[in-house]
Amino acid sequence: MKWVFWTSLAVIAYTYAGYPVIMAVLAKLMPWPWKRAPWPEGGEKPISVVMAVHNGAAMLAEQLDHLLTLDVELVREVIAVSDGSTDATAEILRATAAKDSRLKAIVLETQGGKAAALRHGIEAAEGEILLFVDIRPRVTAGALSYLLSNFADERVGCVAGELLLNSDGQDGATGAVSGLYWKYEQWIRNCEATVDSPVGVYGGFYAVRRELARPAPDGTILDDMYQPLAIIRQGYRSVLDRRALVTDRWPAKAGGEFQRKVRTLAGNFQLIAIAPWVLRSQNRVATQLISHKLLRLVVPYCFVTLLLSSAWLGAVDWRFTAFAVAQALFWIVAALGVKWKVPVVRKVASAGGALLVLNAAAVVGLWRFLFTTGPLWKMWSPTAAPVAAADQKTQG
């Protein structure tokens, strides 16, 4: 039983602390710099913006206006793919395309999921650089120039920017996910990029060389992991540029954030099933993938065995009893922090609530992966809504 206790504790500690520290040390001692230089002036505009949207009428016109007025000297075209929308999305796309020839509107009659929609966009693109965006994010001034500067290095095949999340109006746990947790996650990704490449990027804003783009299989949830890893597989790097800023907002309530994470974590299981090469020598960042992403799918069960084993061992050693009690109290406070900003222990409760949401989502994600009937992406079919309605979910 002591072996169970210490193994569980070691896995948890390595996943949340050990691996990030190792990557931070490697980033400090063994950085792999890459060249940055302004994109050459003259010639064809380099960027084809690709966006998939399903039932996005509430936000679509505003986002199209944003994209079509964004760095017009760099953006060659905006390709918007309506993925089987049943609202006014298709009409808005056609009307906007009639007024601005730089918009290519692709209307799919049947919904096939984001990966299938993006494949149509990739096939239609003519620019040297593909910029994938979602319907919610807003790109800040100069961000595209910063992204492009990284492609001056011929070894760089994928570039992502820095996501700033608006946490106004979010409850305790959700605010912790979009605040403290997201800063922690981006810190790890930046360390990975400094050493070699991050194992995933923010799917709402990243760019790739068109010649290297490998569309994810239809039905894939995590195109923002499949695409960068496919580029790494070809011998190139995926990097981050923290100067290239984009803003977005995630769900305001724990329930919405929980469903978002369930979908994402189910996507991790799906990725291994559809692309087993990500765990083989073909993927030079396989160790990072296991340490950063896959061990987090194991951690929930380690927390359970840690609590049970410490309670069992407490029968012969009071220190294990104290440890078990401390764990139980932490999870109680965490459960309170999911719904409420608990006075006095607010920060601990919020952080604990975020940890509870993330680990519970990993368990449910496995269940959904194993037992969802039909395409996995259909388990949560998001629809666009105004940013103010933060509890509603948006695809794109």
Side-chain angles (χ1 to χ4, degrees), residues 112-149:
K114 184 179 180 182
L118 290 179
R119 174 171 52 79
H120 285 275
I122 292 171
E123 291 171 352
E126 298 179 0
E128 186 176 346
I129 303 297
L130 304 181
L131 175 67
F132 297 103
V133 300
D134 286 349
I135 198 171
R136 293 184 314 267
R138 295 294 183 266
V139 182
T140 62
L144 297 190
S145 294
Y146 287 133
L147 279 188
L148 285 175
S149 69

PDB file of all heavy atoms in Angstrom, residues 112-149:
ATOM      1  N   GLY A 112     -20.174  18.460 -40.739  1.00  0.00           N
ATOM      2  CA  GLY A 112     -19.214  17.366 -40.644  1.00  0.00           C
ATOM      3  C   GLY A 112     -18.176  17.563 -39.573  1.00  0.00           C
ATOM      4  O   GLY A 112     -17.271  16.754 -39.431  1.00  0.00           O
ATOM      5  N   GLY A 113     -18.294  18.667 -38.810  1.00  0.00           N
ATOM      6  CA  GLY A 113     -17.314  18.941 -37.764  1.00  0.00           C
ATOM      7  C   GLY A 113     -16.249  19.915 -38.242  1.00  0.00           C
ATOM      8  O   GLY A 113     -16.058  20.142 -39.441  1.00  0.00           O
ATOM      9  N   LYS A 114     -15.551  20.495 -37.277  1.00  0.00           N
ATOM     10  CA  LYS A 114     -14.580  21.545 -37.592  1.00  0.00           C
ATOM     11  C   LYS A 114     -13.449  21.051 -38.484  1.00  0.00           C
ATOM     12  O   LYS A 114     -13.031  21.750 -39.417  1.00  0.00           O
ATOM     13  CB  LYS A 114     -14.006  22.123 -36.295  1.00  0.00           C
ATOM     14  CG  LYS A 114     -13.065  23.290 -36.507  1.00  0.00           C
ATOM     15  CD  LYS A 114     -12.542  23.836 -35.183  1.00  0.00           C
ATOM     16  CE  LYS A 114     -11.593  25.001 -35.421  1.00  0.00           C
ATOM     17  NZ  LYS A 114     -11.036  25.522 -34.152  1.00  0.00           N
ATOM     18  N   ALA A 115     -12.931  19.858 -38.221  1.00  0.00           N
ATOM     19  CA  ALA A 115     -11.800  19.353 -39.007  1.00  0.00           C
ATOM     20  C   ALA A 115     -12.172  19.233 -40.479  1.00  0.00           C
ATOM     21  O   ALA A 115     -11.383  19.600 -41.365  1.00  0.00           O
ATOM     22  CB  ALA A 115     -11.340  18.002 -38.464  1.00  0.00           C
ATOM     23  N   ALA A 116     -13.364  18.730 -40.764  1.00  0.00           N
ATOM     24  CA  ALA A 116     -13.803  18.596 -42.156  1.00  0.00           C
ATOM     25  C   ALA A 116     -13.970  19.961 -42.807  1.00  0.00           C
ATOM     26  O   ALA A 116     -13.599  20.162 -43.973  1.00  0.00           O
ATOM     27  CB  ALA A 116     -15.119  17.814 -42.215  1.00  0.00           C
ATOM     28  N   ALA A 117     -14.519  20.920 -42.063  1.00  0.00           N
ATOM     29  CA  ALA A 117     -14.695  22.272 -42.598  1.00  0.00           C
ATOM     30  C   ALA A 117     -13.344  22.920 -42.897  1.00  0.00           C
ATOM     31  O   ALA A 117     -13.167  23.559 -43.936  1.00  0.00           O
ATOM     32  CB  ALA A 117     -15.490  23.122 -41.611  1.00  0.00           C
ATOM     33  N   LEU A 118     -12.379  22.749 -41.990  1.00  0.00           N
ATOM     34  CA  LEU A 118     -11.061  23.326 -42.215  1.00  0.00           C
ATOM     35  C   LEU A 118     -10.375  22.702 -43.425  1.00  0.00           C
ATOM     36  O   LEU A 118      -9.621  23.377 -44.140  1.00  0.00           O
ATOM     37  CB  LEU A 118     -10.190  23.151 -40.968  1.00  0.00           C
ATOM     38  CG  LEU A 118     -10.576  23.987 -39.741  1.00  0.00           C
ATOM     39  CD1 LEU A 118      -9.632  23.690 -38.581  1.00  0.00           C
ATOM     40  CD2 LEU A 118     -10.558  25.479 -40.062  1.00  0.00           C
ATOM     41  N   ARG A 119     -10.615  21.433 -43.665  1.00  0.00           N
ATOM     42  CA  ARG A 119     -10.030  20.779 -44.843  1.00  0.00           C
ATOM     43  C   ARG A 119     -10.489  21.477 -46.123  1.00  0.00           C
ATOM     44  O   ARG A 119      -9.690  21.721 -47.032  1.00  0.00           O
ATOM     45  CB  ARG A 119     -10.417  19.298 -44.873  1.00  0.00           C
ATOM     46  CG  ARG A 119      -9.972  18.585 -46.143  1.00  0.00           C
ATOM     47  CD  ARG A 119     -10.169  17.082 -46.037  1.00  0.00           C
ATOM     48  NE  ARG A 119     -11.521  16.731 -45.627  1.00  0.00           N
ATOM     49  CZ  ARG A 119     -12.570  16.716 -46.445  1.00  0.00           C
ATOM     50  NH1 ARG A 119     -12.425  17.056 -47.725  1.00  0.00           N
ATOM     51  NH2 ARG A 119     -13.766  16.366 -46.005  1.00  0.00           N
ATOM     52  N   HIS A 120     -11.771  21.820 -46.196  1.00  0.00           N
ATOM     53  CA  HIS A 120     -12.275  22.543 -47.368  1.00  0.00           C
ATOM     54  C   HIS A 120     -11.590  23.900 -47.485  1.00  0.00           C
ATOM     55  O   HIS A 120     -11.256  24.352 -48.589  1.00  0.00           O
ATOM     56  CB  HIS A 120     -13.791  22.723 -47.263  1.00  0.00           C
ATOM     57  CG  HIS A 120     -14.571  21.475 -47.535  1.00  0.00           C
ATOM     58  ND1 HIS A 120     -14.924  21.079 -48.802  1.00  0.00           N
ATOM     59  CD2 HIS A 120     -15.062  20.528 -46.690  1.00  0.00           C
ATOM     60  CE1 HIS A 120     -15.615  19.949 -48.748  1.00  0.00           C
ATOM     61  NE2 HIS A 120     -15.698  19.589 -47.474  1.00  0.00           N
ATOM     62  N   GLY A 121     -11.382  24.561 -46.361  1.00  0.00           N
ATOM     63  CA  GLY A 121     -10.719  25.856 -46.376  1.00  0.00           C
ATOM     64  C   GLY A 121      -9.277  25.757 -46.834  1.00  0.00           C
ATOM     65  O   GLY A 121      -8.796  26.586 -47.616  1.00  0.00           O
ATOM     66  N   ILE A 122      -8.570  24.744 -46.358  1.00  0.00           N
ATOM     67  CA  ILE A 122      -7.173  24.533 -46.744  1.00  0.00           C
ATOM     68  C   ILE A 122      -7.067  24.280 -48.249  1.00  0.00           C
ATOM     69  O   ILE A 122      -6.181  24.820 -48.932  1.00  0.00           O
ATOM     70  CB  ILE A 122      -6.562  23.363 -45.945  1.00  0.00           C
ATOM     71  CG1 ILE A 122      -6.437  23.742 -44.464  1.00  0.00           C
ATOM     72  CG2 ILE A 122      -5.203  22.965 -46.509  1.00  0.00           C
ATOM     73  CD1 ILE A 122      -6.056  22.592 -43.556  1.00  0.00           C
ATOM     74  N   GLU A 123      -7.981  23.461 -48.774  1.00  0.00           N
ATOM     75  CA  GLU A 123      -7.950  23.133 -50.201  1.00  0.00           C
ATOM     76  C   GLU A 123      -8.208  24.356 -51.071  1.00  0.00           C
ATOM     77  O   GLU A 123      -7.705  24.450 -52.195  1.00  0.00           O
ATOM     78  CB  GLU A 123      -8.986  22.045 -50.498  1.00  0.00           C
ATOM     79  CG  GLU A 123      -8.632  20.685 -49.889  1.00  0.00           C
ATOM     80  CD  GLU A 123      -9.768  19.681 -50.006  1.00  0.00           C
ATOM     81  OE1 GLU A 123     -10.887  20.086 -50.417  1.00  0.00           O
ATOM     82  OE2 GLU A 123      -9.550  18.502 -49.677  1.00  0.00           O
ATOM     83  N   ALA A 124      -8.966  25.320 -50.559  1.00  0.00           N
ATOM     84  CA  ALA A 124      -9.297  26.518 -51.339  1.00  0.00           C
ATOM     85  C   ALA A 124      -8.255  27.623 -51.203  1.00  0.00           C
ATOM     86  O   ALA A 124      -8.273  28.583 -51.975  1.00  0.00           O
ATOM     87  CB  ALA A 124     -10.665  27.050 -50.909  1.00  0.00           C
ATOM     88  N   ALA A 125      -7.356  27.519 -50.237  1.00  0.00           N
ATOM     89  CA  ALA A 125      -6.416  28.596 -49.929  1.00  0.00           C
ATOM     90  C   ALA A 125      -5.336  28.732 -50.997  1.00  0.00           C
ATOM     91  O   ALA A 125      -4.875  27.747 -51.573  1.00  0.00           O
ATOM     92  CB  ALA A 125      -5.777  28.346 -48.567  1.00  0.00           C
ATOM     93  N   GLU A 126      -4.921  29.973 -51.246  1.00  0.00           N
ATOM     94  CA  GLU A 126      -3.880  30.268 -52.216  1.00  0.00           C
ATOM     95  C   GLU A 126      -2.659  30.928 -51.592  1.00  0.00           C
ATOM     96  O   GLU A 126      -1.604  30.999 -52.215  1.00  0.00           O
ATOM     97  CB  GLU A 126      -4.442  31.181 -53.319  1.00  0.00           C
ATOM     98  CG  GLU A 126      -5.573  30.544 -54.121  1.00  0.00           C
ATOM     99  CD  GLU A 126      -6.133  31.481 -55.177  1.00  0.00           C
ATOM    100  OE1 GLU A 126      -5.625  32.625 -55.270  1.00  0.00           O
ATOM    101  OE2 GLU A 126      -7.058  31.078 -55.897  1.00  0.00           O
ATOM    102  N   GLY A 127      -2.782  31.442 -50.364  1.00  0.00           N
ATOM    103  CA  GLY A 127      -1.681  32.133 -49.715  1.00  0.00           C
ATOM    104  C   GLY A 127      -0.574  31.190 -49.281  1.00  0.00           C
ATOM    105  O   GLY A 127      -0.798  29.993 -49.075  1.00  0.00           O
ATOM    106  N   GLU A 128       0.610  31.746 -49.126  1.00  0.00           N
ATOM    107  CA  GLU A 128       1.757  30.952 -48.685  1.00  0.00           C
ATOM    108  C   GLU A 128       1.619  30.527 -47.227  1.00  0.00           C
ATOM    109  O   GLU A 128       2.109  29.470 -46.828  1.00  0.00           O
ATOM    110  CB  GLU A 128       3.037  31.770 -48.877  1.00  0.00           C
ATOM    111  CG  GLU A 128       4.323  31.030 -48.593  1.00  0.00           C
ATOM    112  CD  GLU A 128       5.551  31.854 -48.888  1.00  0.00           C
ATOM    113  OE1 GLU A 128       5.421  32.900 -49.548  1.00  0.00           O
ATOM    114  OE2 GLU A 128       6.657  31.457 -48.450  1.00  0.00           O
ATOM    115  N   ILE A 129       0.939  31.364 -46.434  1.00  0.00           N
ATOM    116  CA  ILE A 129       0.746  31.106 -45.007  1.00  0.00           C
ATOM    117  C   ILE A 129      -0.741  30.975 -44.719  1.00  0.00           C
ATOM    118  O   ILE A 129      -1.544  31.832 -45.125  1.00  0.00           O
ATOM    119  CB  ILE A 129       1.339  32.241 -44.144  1.00  0.00           C
ATOM    120  CG1 ILE A 129       2.831  32.433 -44.445  1.00  0.00           C
ATOM    121  CG2 ILE A 129       1.118  31.956 -42.670  1.00  0.00           C
ATOM    122  CD1 ILE A 129       3.710  31.234 -44.106  1.00  0.00           C
ATOM    123  N   LEU A 130      -1.123  29.910 -44.022  1.00  0.00           N
ATOM    124  CA  LEU A 130      -2.503  29.726 -43.594  1.00  0.00           C
ATOM    125  C   LEU A 130      -2.634  30.187 -42.149  1.00  0.00           C
ATOM    126  O   LEU A 130      -1.886  29.739 -41.287  1.00  0.00           O
ATOM    127  CB  LEU A 130      -2.912  28.256 -43.690  1.00  0.00           C
ATOM    128  CG  LEU A 130      -2.755  27.566 -45.048  1.00  0.00           C
ATOM    129  CD1 LEU A 130      -3.235  26.126 -44.956  1.00  0.00           C
ATOM    130  CD2 LEU A 130      -3.507  28.319 -46.135  1.00  0.00           C
ATOM    131  N   LEU A 131      -3.574  31.090 -41.908  1.00  0.00           N
ATOM    132  CA  LEU A 131      -3.847  31.560 -40.549  1.00  0.00           C
ATOM    133  C   LEU A 131      -5.204  31.028 -40.127  1.00  0.00           C
ATOM    134  O   LEU A 131      -6.230  31.410 -40.693  1.00  0.00           O
ATOM    135  CB  LEU A 131      -3.843  33.088 -40.488  1.00  0.00           C
ATOM    136  CG  LEU A 131      -4.230  33.706 -39.139  1.00  0.00           C
ATOM    137  CD1 LEU A 131      -3.175  33.385 -38.087  1.00  0.00           C
ATOM    138  CD2 LEU A 131      -4.430  35.211 -39.259  1.00  0.00           C
ATOM    139  N   PHE A 132      -5.221  30.126 -39.143  1.00  0.00           N
ATOM    140  CA  PHE A 132      -6.467  29.558 -38.644  1.00  0.00           C
ATOM    141  C   PHE A 132      -6.995  30.415 -37.503  1.00  0.00           C
ATOM    142  O   PHE A 132      -6.269  30.707 -36.534  1.00  0.00           O
ATOM    143  CB  PHE A 132      -6.243  28.122 -38.164  1.00  0.00           C
ATOM    144  CG  PHE A 132      -5.804  27.186 -39.259  1.00  0.00           C
ATOM    145  CD1 PHE A 132      -4.473  26.795 -39.370  1.00  0.00           C
ATOM    146  CD2 PHE A 132      -6.705  26.714 -40.192  1.00  0.00           C
ATOM    147  CE1 PHE A 132      -4.056  25.948 -40.385  1.00  0.00           C
ATOM    148  CE2 PHE A 132      -6.309  25.860 -41.217  1.00  0.00           C
ATOM    149  CZ  PHE A 132      -4.980  25.482 -41.317  1.00  0.00           C
ATOM    150  N   VAL A 133      -8.243  30.825 -37.606  1.00  0.00           N
ATOM    151  CA  VAL A 133      -8.868  31.632 -36.564  1.00  0.00           C
ATOM    152  C   VAL A 133     -10.233  31.053 -36.227  1.00  0.00           C
ATOM    153  O   VAL A 133     -10.820  30.291 -37.010  1.00  0.00           O
ATOM    154  CB  VAL A 133      -9.020  33.114 -36.989  1.00  0.00           C
ATOM    155  CG1 VAL A 133      -7.668  33.740 -37.292  1.00  0.00           C
ATOM    156  CG2 VAL A 133      -9.949  33.246 -38.186  1.00  0.00           C
ATOM    157  N   ASP A 134     -10.741  31.441 -35.066  1.00  0.00           N
ATOM    158  CA  ASP A 134     -12.098  31.087 -34.656  1.00  0.00           C
ATOM    159  C   ASP A 134     -12.985  32.319 -34.754  1.00  0.00           C
ATOM    160  O   ASP A 134     -12.518  33.422 -35.039  1.00  0.00           O
ATOM    161  CB  ASP A 134     -12.095  30.545 -33.226  1.00  0.00           C
ATOM    162  CG  ASP A 134     -11.522  29.131 -33.155  1.00  0.00           C
ATOM    163  OD1 ASP A 134     -11.321  28.511 -34.221  1.00  0.00           O
ATOM    164  OD2 ASP A 134     -11.264  28.665 -32.034  1.00  0.00           O
ATOM    165  N   ILE A 135     -14.250  32.137 -34.460  1.00  0.00           N
ATOM    166  CA  ILE A 135     -15.198  33.236 -34.634  1.00  0.00           C
ATOM    167  C   ILE A 135     -15.161  34.237 -33.477  1.00  0.00           C
ATOM    168  O   ILE A 135     -15.541  35.398 -33.643  1.00  0.00           O
ATOM    169  CB  ILE A 135     -16.630  32.690 -34.826  1.00  0.00           C
ATOM    170  CG1 ILE A 135     -17.532  33.764 -35.439  1.00  0.00           C
ATOM    171  CG2 ILE A 135     -17.198  32.159 -33.510  1.00  0.00           C
ATOM    172  CD1 ILE A 135     -18.887  33.252 -35.863  1.00  0.00           C
ATOM    173  N   ARG A 136     -14.691  33.833 -32.300  1.00  0.00           N
ATOM    174  CA  ARG A 136     -14.681  34.740 -31.152  1.00  0.00           C
ATOM    175  C   ARG A 136     -13.462  35.658 -31.079  1.00  0.00           C
ATOM    176  O   ARG A 136     -13.605  36.827 -30.766  1.00  0.00           O
ATOM    177  CB  ARG A 136     -14.749  33.945 -29.837  1.00  0.00           C
ATOM    178  CG  ARG A 136     -16.027  33.199 -29.575  1.00  0.00           C
ATOM    179  CD  ARG A 136     -15.963  32.544 -28.184  1.00  0.00           C
ATOM    180  NE  ARG A 136     -14.677  31.879 -27.981  1.00  0.00           N
ATOM    181  CZ  ARG A 136     -14.449  30.597 -28.244  1.00  0.00           C
ATOM    182  NH1 ARG A 136     -15.407  29.850 -28.739  1.00  0.00           N
ATOM    183  NH2 ARG A 136     -13.273  30.055 -28.017  1.00  0.00           N
ATOM    184  N   PRO A 137     -12.253  35.157 -31.269  1.00  0.00           N
ATOM    185  CA  PRO A 137     -11.057  35.939 -30.945  1.00  0.00           C
ATOM    186  C   PRO A 137     -10.916  37.214 -31.773  1.00  0.00           C
ATOM    187  O   PRO A 137     -11.341  37.297 -32.919  1.00  0.00           O
ATOM    188  CB  PRO A 137      -9.911  34.967 -31.262  1.00  0.00           C
ATOM    189  CG  PRO A 137     -10.532  33.617 -31.262  1.00  0.00           C
ATOM    190  CD  PRO A 137     -11.917  33.811 -31.743  1.00  0.00           C
ATOM    191  N   ARG A 138     -10.300  38.199 -31.141  1.00  0.00           N
ATOM    192  CA  ARG A 138      -9.956  39.441 -31.804  1.00  0.00           C
ATOM    193  C   ARG A 138      -8.443  39.564 -31.837  1.00  0.00           C
ATOM    194  O   ARG A 138      -7.774  39.447 -30.802  1.00  0.00           O
ATOM    195  CB  ARG A 138     -10.575  40.634 -31.080  1.00  0.00           C
ATOM    196  CG  ARG A 138     -12.102  40.638 -31.110  1.00  0.00           C
ATOM    197  CD  ARG A 138     -12.631  40.823 -32.531  1.00  0.00           C
ATOM    198  NE  ARG A 138     -14.085  40.911 -32.571  1.00  0.00           N
ATOM    199  CZ  ARG A 138     -14.893  39.893 -32.777  1.00  0.00           C
ATOM    200  NH1 ARG A 138     -14.374  38.683 -32.942  1.00  0.00           N
ATOM    201  NH2 ARG A 138     -16.196  40.055 -32.813  1.00  0.00           N
ATOM    202  N   VAL A 139      -7.908  39.818 -33.020  1.00  0.00           N
ATOM    203  CA  VAL A 139      -6.466  39.908 -33.228  1.00  0.00           C
ATOM    204  C   VAL A 139      -6.024  41.340 -32.994  1.00  0.00           C
ATOM    205  O   VAL A 139      -6.625  42.278 -33.538  1.00  0.00           O
ATOM    206  CB  VAL A 139      -6.095  39.460 -34.659  1.00  0.00           C
ATOM    207  CG1 VAL A 139      -4.589  39.509 -34.867  1.00  0.00           C
ATOM    208  CG2 VAL A 139      -6.639  38.062 -34.932  1.00  0.00           C
ATOM    209  N   THR A 140      -4.983  41.539 -32.211  1.00  0.00           N
ATOM    210  CA  THR A 140      -4.520  42.884 -31.888  1.00  0.00           C
ATOM    211  C   THR A 140      -3.630  43.436 -32.998  1.00  0.00           C
ATOM    212  O   THR A 140      -3.097  42.694 -33.830  1.00  0.00           O
ATOM    213  CB  THR A 140      -3.744  42.896 -30.568  1.00  0.00           C
ATOM    214  OG1 THR A 140      -2.583  42.057 -30.706  1.00  0.00           O
ATOM    215  CG2 THR A 140      -4.598  42.376 -29.422  1.00  0.00           C
ATOM    216  N   ALA A 141      -3.470  44.749 -32.999  1.00  0.00           N
ATOM    217  CA  ALA A 141      -2.677  45.429 -34.022  1.00  0.00           C
ATOM    218  C   ALA A 141      -1.241  44.902 -34.019  1.00  0.00           C
ATOM    219  O   ALA A 141      -0.621  44.779 -32.974  1.00  0.00           O
ATOM    220  CB  ALA A 141      -2.691  46.937 -33.769  1.00  0.00           C
ATOM    221  N   GLY A 142      -0.737  44.602 -35.201  1.00  0.00           N
ATOM    222  CA  GLY A 142       0.643  44.148 -35.345  1.00  0.00           C
ATOM    223  C   GLY A 142       0.854  42.666 -35.146  1.00  0.00           C
ATOM    224  O   GLY A 142       1.957  42.156 -35.413  1.00  0.00           O
ATOM    225  N   ALA A 143      -0.170  41.950 -34.697  1.00  0.00           N
ATOM    226  CA  ALA A 143       0.001  40.529 -34.373  1.00  0.00           C
ATOM    227  C   ALA A 143       0.375  39.706 -35.611  1.00  0.00           C
ATOM    228  O   ALA A 143       1.196  38.789 -35.528  1.00  0.00           O
ATOM    229  CB  ALA A 143      -1.269  39.975 -33.736  1.00  0.00           C
ATOM    230  N   LEU A 144      -0.206  40.028 -36.756  1.00  0.00           N
ATOM    231  CA  LEU A 144       0.089  39.252 -37.953  1.00  0.00           C
ATOM    232  C   LEU A 144       1.534  39.442 -38.407  1.00  0.00           C
ATOM    233  O   LEU A 144       2.194  38.493 -38.840  1.00  0.00           O
ATOM    234  CB  LEU A 144      -0.871  39.634 -39.085  1.00  0.00           C
ATOM    235  CG  LEU A 144      -2.358  39.354 -38.844  1.00  0.00           C
ATOM    236  CD1 LEU A 144      -3.145  39.559 -40.123  1.00  0.00           C
ATOM    237  CD2 LEU A 144      -2.587  37.956 -38.292  1.00  0.00           C
ATOM    238  N   SER A 145       2.040  40.663 -38.294  1.00  0.00           N
ATOM    239  CA  SER A 145       3.436  40.918 -38.658  1.00  0.00           C
ATOM    240  C   SER A 145       4.378  40.144 -37.753  1.00  0.00           C
ATOM    241  O   SER A 145       5.390  39.592 -38.212  1.00  0.00           O
ATOM    242  CB  SER A 145       3.741  42.416 -38.572  1.00  0.00           C
ATOM    243  OG  SER A 145       3.011  43.133 -39.546  1.00  0.00           O
ATOM    244  N   TYR A 146       4.027  40.091 -36.473  1.00  0.00           N
ATOM    245  CA  TYR A 146       4.857  39.330 -35.534  1.00  0.00           C
ATOM    246  C   TYR A 146       4.855  37.846 -35.894  1.00  0.00           C
ATOM    247  O   TYR A 146       5.900  37.187 -35.901  1.00  0.00           O
ATOM    248  CB  TYR A 146       4.363  39.527 -34.111  1.00  0.00           C
ATOM    249  CG  TYR A 146       4.661  40.888 -33.529  1.00  0.00           C
ATOM    250  CD1 TYR A 146       3.676  41.616 -32.858  1.00  0.00           C
ATOM    251  CD2 TYR A 146       5.932  41.450 -33.634  1.00  0.00           C
ATOM    252  CE1 TYR A 146       3.948  42.867 -32.317  1.00  0.00           C
ATOM    253  CE2 TYR A 146       6.209  42.699 -33.092  1.00  0.00           C
ATOM    254  CZ  TYR A 146       5.208  43.406 -32.444  1.00  0.00           C
ATOM    255  OH  TYR A 146       5.482  44.640 -31.907  1.00  0.00           O
ATOM    256  N   LEU A 147       3.671  37.303 -36.193  1.00  0.00           N
ATOM    257  CA  LEU A 147       3.590  35.893 -36.562  1.00  0.00           C
ATOM    258  C   LEU A 147       4.451  35.606 -37.793  1.00  0.00           C
ATOM    259  O   LEU A 147       5.241  34.663 -37.818  1.00  0.00           O
ATOM    260  CB  LEU A 147       2.143  35.488 -36.854  1.00  0.00           C
ATOM    261  CG  LEU A 147       1.198  35.154 -35.707  1.00  0.00           C
ATOM    262  CD1 LEU A 147      -0.101  34.586 -36.258  1.00  0.00           C
ATOM    263  CD2 LEU A 147       1.809  34.181 -34.720  1.00  0.00           C
ATOM    264  N   LEU A 148       4.285  36.435 -38.812  1.00  0.00           N
ATOM    265  CA  LEU A 148       5.006  36.218 -40.059  1.00  0.00           C
ATOM    266  C   LEU A 148       6.514  36.289 -39.886  1.00  0.00           C
ATOM    267  O   LEU A 148       7.257  35.585 -40.580  1.00  0.00           O
ATOM    268  CB  LEU A 148       4.565  37.251 -41.100  1.00  0.00           C
ATOM    269  CG  LEU A 148       3.197  37.033 -41.743  1.00  0.00           C
ATOM    270  CD1 LEU A 148       2.850  38.206 -42.650  1.00  0.00           C
ATOM    271  CD2 LEU A 148       3.158  35.737 -42.523  1.00  0.00           C
ATOM    272  N   SER A 149       6.988  37.126 -38.972  1.00  0.00           N
ATOM    273  CA  SER A 149       8.435  37.293 -38.806  1.00  0.00           C
ATOM    274  C   SER A 149       9.124  35.987 -38.432  1.00  0.00           C
ATOM    275  O   SER A 149      10.301  35.790 -38.736  1.00  0.00           O
ATOM    276  CB  SER A 149       8.731  38.361 -37.741  1.00  0.00           C
ATOM    277  OG  SER A 149       8.374  37.911 -36.438  1.00  0.00           O
TER     278      SER A 149
END
